[in-house]
């Protein structure tokens, strides 16, 4: 299912966001509004977390059919900090779940008045499919859809870049690594291009480079040393072994040598460049440990921003539900 289809499905009759399935089709103003609200909720570790009752009376259900640490926990904390009831369903131990079975689970949750359903699944198109069947007051938030889309990750990455590097129109950003399997890269591409980044570069070994119909407008590199030179932001990606078949899995040591973000390579970027990684990291494979823990790394800040962004998305979606109720 195309992201174009998801872009339509996620809006209500008035064009408001009813679900969040993809960043495709979100305007610059919509993304900026979400980032501004996330900034309002953002606190640094050590400060007390932001809290309000925006989601009082709502029930958020987390349905993760693929593993997750950061995304699931941050959706849970975000919902709790906005006053919602939260339930977490452990779906991973169940056998591979197909559309109809997922719908049955969802109807069950709906019947218990869960009204915001956060979903992660390996099947492309599942969030948009489910969104068509849920009751009018129920919202679907995509927490990772196959290799296609991870909208809240794209937003938290954009927030992190905005906080640390400022104006997108002045920035050169590199997204590097296993691009062909990365939903993070696809959502980041949507966010960065919509926000008007000056130059977006993508770099991957030949085998992991997506087709030309994707990442339009980005400059493509297969040589990481050329790609990294002079950039302000280096976003590196995990090798997604779970989406590869045996023969195509790269050897870790060779990958690190030819494509990993090492201190020597990072020295070719701008002096004050930041380094990002969505996690979980394969240390000393796509990123050297010294870089991940080094002074240019903003990886922990990305995690902190994940909670703020998810609070902003939950609050925005709940406000749109209220607006619809008001006019019905
Ligand atoms: N956590 C991110 C995702 O779910 C990145 C990764 O798994 O590599 O896509």
């Amino acid at each position: 299912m195309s992201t174009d289809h998801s872009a339509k499905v996620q809006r209500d009759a008035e064009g408001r966001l009813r679900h969040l399935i993809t960043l495709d089709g979100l305007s610059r103003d919509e993304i900026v509004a979400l980032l501004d609200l996330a900034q309002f909720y953002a606190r640094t570790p050590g400060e007390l977390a932001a809290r309000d009752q925006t989601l009082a009376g709502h029930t958020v259900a987390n349905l993760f059919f693929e593993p997750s640490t950061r995304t699931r926990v941050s959706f849970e904390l975000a919902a709790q900090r906005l006053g919602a009831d939260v339930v977490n369903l452990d779906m991973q131990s169940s056998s591979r779940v197909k559309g109809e079975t997922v719908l049955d689970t969802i109807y069950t949750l709906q019947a218990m008045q869960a009204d915001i359903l956060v979903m992660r699944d390996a099947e492309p198109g599942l969030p948009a499919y489910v969104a068509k069947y849920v009751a009018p007051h129920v919202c679907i938030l995509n927490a990772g859809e196959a290799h296609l889309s991870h909208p809240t990750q794209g937003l938290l990455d954009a927030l992190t870049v905005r906080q640390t590097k400022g104006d997108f129109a002045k920035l050169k950003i590199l997204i590097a690594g296993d691009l062909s399997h990365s939903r993070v890269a696809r959502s980041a591409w949507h966010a960065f291009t919509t926000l008007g980044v000056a130059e977006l570069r993508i770099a991957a070994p030949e085998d992991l480079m997506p087709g030309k119909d994707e990442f339009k407008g980005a400059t493509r590199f297969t040589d990481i040393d050329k790609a990294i030179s002079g950039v302000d932001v280096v976003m590196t990606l995990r090798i997604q072994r779970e989406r590869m078949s045996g023969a195509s899995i790269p050897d870790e040591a060779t990958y690190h040598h030819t494509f990993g973000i090492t201190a020597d390579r990072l020295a070719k970027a701008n002096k004050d460049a930041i380094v990002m990684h969505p996690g979980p990291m394969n240390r000393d494979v796509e990123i050297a440990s010294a870089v991940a823990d080094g002074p240019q790394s903003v990886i922990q800040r990305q995690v902190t921003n994940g909670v703020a962004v998810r609070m902003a998305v939950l609050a925005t979606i709940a406000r749109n539900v209220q607006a619809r109720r008001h006019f019905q």
Side-chain angles (χ1 to χ4, degrees):
M1 204 170 293
S2 69
T3 61
D4 189 45
H5 172 76
S6 300
K8 289 191 190 111
V9 167
Q10 69 185 350
R11 299 208 179 252
D12 66 18
E14 280 73 44
R16 283 180 295 246
L17 274 183
R18 173 179 163 194
H19 311 284
L20 182 63
I21 301 176
T22 173
L23 296 182
D24 189 6
L26 263 68
S27 68
R28 187 174 186 282
D29 286 353
E30 283 176 311
I31 293 185
V32 168
L34 285 165
L35 298 186
D36 289 348
L37 187 55
Q39 189 59 52
F40 168 77
Y41 285 125
R43 300 288 185 278
T44 54
E47 284 184 287
L48 286 182
R51 278 178 198 280
D52 67 34
Q53 288 298 307
T54 303
L55 253 56
H58 289 274
T59 300
V60 176
N62 281 322
L63 290 96
F64 282 67
F65 299 92
E66 277 194 318
S68 175
T69 307
R70 279 152 287 269
T71 307
R72 196 193 59 70
V73 174
S74 61
F75 261 114
E76 182 174 355
L77 288 175
Q80 285 174 350
R81 288 174 187 172
L82 294 173
D85 293 332
V86 185
V87 284
N88 295 308
L89 286 86
D90 183 9
M91 311 306 296
Q92 286 161 52
S93 46
S94 65
S95 58
R96 180 74 191 95
V97 193
K98 288 281 180 192
E100 264 175 319
T101 313
V102 174
L103 273 188
D104 277 341
T105 310
I106 280 174
Y107 290 145
T108 304
L109 290 164
Q110 257 183 209
M112 293 182 203
Q113 282 162 300
D115 52 1
I116 301 179
L117 309 180
V118 180
M119 288 186 58
R120 167 173 289 195
D121 193 79
E123 186 176 319
L126 195 69
Y129 168 76
V130 166
K132 285 196 288 192
Y133 291 96
V134 291
H137 64 282
V138 173
C139 311
I140 303 295
L141 302 184
N142 177 4
E145 174 189 6
H147 64 289
L148 278 183
S149 155
H150 193 351
T152 54
Q153 177 77 41
L155 292 170
L156 77 87
D157 289 336
L159 182 63
T160 306
V161 172
R162 192 176 83 165
Q163 285 172 348
T164 51
K165 303 302 297 174
D167 188 1
F168 283 87
K170 298 196 175 112
L171 298 179
K172 288 184 189 161
I173 300 183
L174 167 66
I175 310 179
D178 180 2
L179 284 156
S180 61
H181 301 105
S182 178
R183 53 194 175 207
V184 172
R186 285 172 176 79
S187 288
W189 171 78
H190 275 302
F192 297 154
T193 47
T194 307
L195 291 166
V197 66
E199 187 182 339
L200 188 61
R201 301 180 185 181
I202 57 170
E206 208 103 44
D207 285 356
L208 300 174
M209 182 65 93
K212 292 256 161 64
D213 53 328
E214 294 196 275
F215 296 95
K216 294 216 173 94
T219 322
R220 292 167 176 253
F221 292 82
T222 47
D223 180 339
I224 187 70
D225 292 289
K226 287 196 180 125
I228 203 168
S229 128
V231 298
D232 304 291
V233 175
V234 181
M235 178 191 282
T236 181
L237 305 166
R238 183 174 66 91
I239 298 186
Q240 313 235 320
R241 290 192 181 76
E242 73 276 24
R243 301 192 204 284
M244 297 177 189
S245 57
S248 60
I249 298 180
D251 154 60
E252 294 189 351
T254 311
Y255 187 86
H256 188 63
H257 182 67
T258 55
F259 226 85
I261 304 302
T262 58
D264 285 350
R265 287 210 166 100
L266 184 57
K268 297 179 181 162
N270 281 345
K271 197 165 67 326
D272 54 356
I274 57 164
V275 179
M276 305 171 73
H277 190 299
M281 285 185 274
N282 294 306
R283 283 176 178 266
D284 299 319
V285 182
E286 67 266 1
I287 186 166
S289 246
V291 172
D293 303 330
Q296 288 166 269
S297 168
V298 294
I299 295 170
Q300 293 307 319
R301 188 192 275 255
Q302 287 174 270
V303 178
T304 302
N305 282 336
V307 181
V309 154
R310 285 161 187 133
M311 288 175 85
V313 167
L314 286 164
T316 301
I317 293 290
R319 212 171 34 220
N320 290 347
V321 170
Q322 288 305 331
R324 274 198 302 282
R325 280 208 183 111
H326 195 70
F327 289 109
Q328 265 159 16

